[in-house]
Amino acid sequence: MLDVRALRKVYEGHGRHVEAVRDLTFSLDAGELVCVVGPSGCGKTTLLKCVAGLLAPTSGEVLLRGQRVTGPPPGTAVVFQEYGRSLFPWMRVRDNVELPLRQKKHLTRPRRRELVEHALHAVGLDDTAGAYPWQLSGGMQQRVAIARAVAHEPEVLLMDEPFAAVDAQTRADLEDLVRRLWQELGVTVLFITHDIDEAVYLGERVVILSSSPTVVQEQLTVGLPARRDQLHTRADPRFTALRTRVHEQIQAAKRGGPAAAVPLRAEDDDGVPPRPLDKRP
């Protein structure tokens, strides 16, 4: 579905030359949920903007369904971190969600309203259609932003640290919302986050980036059960092992290199979850 090939991005101008992304290569299969993590300032948002067609790469390419991305591609929706800046405060919730649909000339007004109602129901905001964004909590505003993306009926959903500005309890609720929507809609999701636990909890795979200039340091298959919940999944020894592995790689990236490979053991016959092999003498 999505291929990032040898992506490189250099910012130039006003006497500066900053190589934000050096050589990024990875891919997503249709219907996959992949999280991207890395050290602060490693170019995660630059990557997402290139994938979304909002930023032209210096070299390399992004392919969506085999077609090179040269601008915002159809069938793709983006949810940004700053929900307060992505919603129009003078427009009611229903109108904020409907706004991108007005560009689709083939959609009738009743069909647009149907998509809006379905999207608001999907994110649990049936009763807020007539409210203004400023009347809602931060978590509810981000749900509106997600509803707007869902109403677009995307094949690919790009999310740029969408829960960074909400409290921990709201964040947990929104994480479960994304997992549920991903399973119900069958959409392909690329989720950028700085939160290691969030990446392991949400993703089917975690792409770990190096420090800037950025390359892919490791790709980790999560392998946790499809049905996840905040209590039991996070208490699973395999979750702990995986988050430890990601944390080790990010700390190593800050030092300028990958961590030593520590393979995860396959699940034992007695059902004991796998854990890192102990390499200490």
Side-chain angles (χ1 to χ4, degrees):
M1 175 64 78
L2 182 66
D3 284 305
V4 178
R5 298 181 179 177
L7 188 71
R8 180 172 180 260
K9 179 61 183 178
V10 177
Y11 292 101
E12 293 184 289
H14 303 290
R16 68 171 189 158
H17 177 95
V18 179
E19 187 182 29
V21 175
R22 173 168 290 174
D23 182 16
L24 281 182
T25 299
F26 65 94
S27 62
L28 275 72
D29 292 332
E32 193 175 14
L33 196 168
V34 172
C35 292
V36 176
V37 295
S40 178
C42 73
K44 297 186 293 293
T45 296
T46 295
L47 164 64
L48 184 131
K49 288 181 177 179
C50 289
V51 172
L54 302 174
L55 194 63
T58 302
S59 61
E61 60 184 357
V62 177
L63 301 177
L64 180 62
R65 296 184 298 274
Q67 301 297 314
R68 187 169 187 170
V69 173
T70 57
T76 300
V78 185
V79 177
F80 295 102
Q81 174 182 338
E82 297 179 342
Y83 52 83
R85 295 176 62 183
S86 66
L87 301 177
F88 296 104
W90 61 87
M91 296 175 63
R92 298 183 187 274
V93 165
R94 69 167 68 90
D95 298 318
N96 268 284
V97 175
E98 185 185 3
L99 185 61
L101 302 179
R102 296 178 184 174
Q103 301 177 18
K104 297 185 175 184
K105 302 302 182 183
H106 65 283
L107 291 178
T108 63
R109 182 177 178 82
R111 176 56 179 161
R112 294 202 308 265
R113 289 292 182 174
E114 181 182 351
L115 288 171
V116 170
E117 290 175 5
H118 176 267
L120 289 174
H121 176 73
V123 301
L125 293 179
D126 303 80
D127 299 330
T128 65
Y132 291 98
W134 50 268
Q135 295 176 310
L136 306 178
S137 68
M140 293 176 75
Q141 289 183 52
Q142 191 61 298
R143 284 175 182 259
V144 175
I146 295 172
R148 183 169 57 191
V150 168
H152 193 60
E153 297 185 300
E155 296 180 44
V156 177
L157 180 59
L158 307 174
M159 310 189 81
D160 185 17
E161 300 192 34
F163 310 146
V166 299
D167 62 84
Q169 182 176 338
T170 301
R171 187 183 197 123
D173 292 340
L174 291 172
E175 288 170 354
D176 289 335
L177 172 64
V178 167
R179 285 282 305 181
R180 179 172 60 79
L181 290 175
W182 166 68
Q183 291 170 329
E184 291 177 356
L185 302 176
V187 66
T188 304
V189 180
L190 180 63
F191 192 102
I192 305 292
T193 180
H194 67 274
D195 189 289
I196 295 172
D197 288 45
E198 182 170 76
V200 174
Y201 182 80
L202 282 177
E204 300 303 289
R205 188 156 48 93
V206 178
V207 175
I208 306 168
L209 303 184
S210 70
S211 294
S212 183
T214 308
V215 298
V216 173
Q217 182 149 307
E218 184 180 13
Q219 298 191 52
L220 187 66
T221 299
V222 173
L224 292 169
R227 295 179 61 88
R228 302 178 191 179
D229 67 80
Q230 296 289 341
L231 178 61
H232 299 94
T233 300
R234 291 177 183 270
D236 189 327
R238 181 164 175 80
F239 178 90
T240 303
L242 289 163
R243 73 172 302 278
T244 299
R245 176 60 183 169
V246 176
H247 179 74
E248 289 173 345
Q249 284 288 12
I250 291 178
Q251 292 304 310
K254 294 177 180 179
R255 297 191 298 268
V262 181
L264 297 175
R265 293 174 55 181
E267 183 165 316
D268 298 328
D269 292 338
D270 60 1
V272 176
R275 55 193 179 277
L277 292 173
D278 192 347
K279 292 295 186 179
R280 293 172 297 178

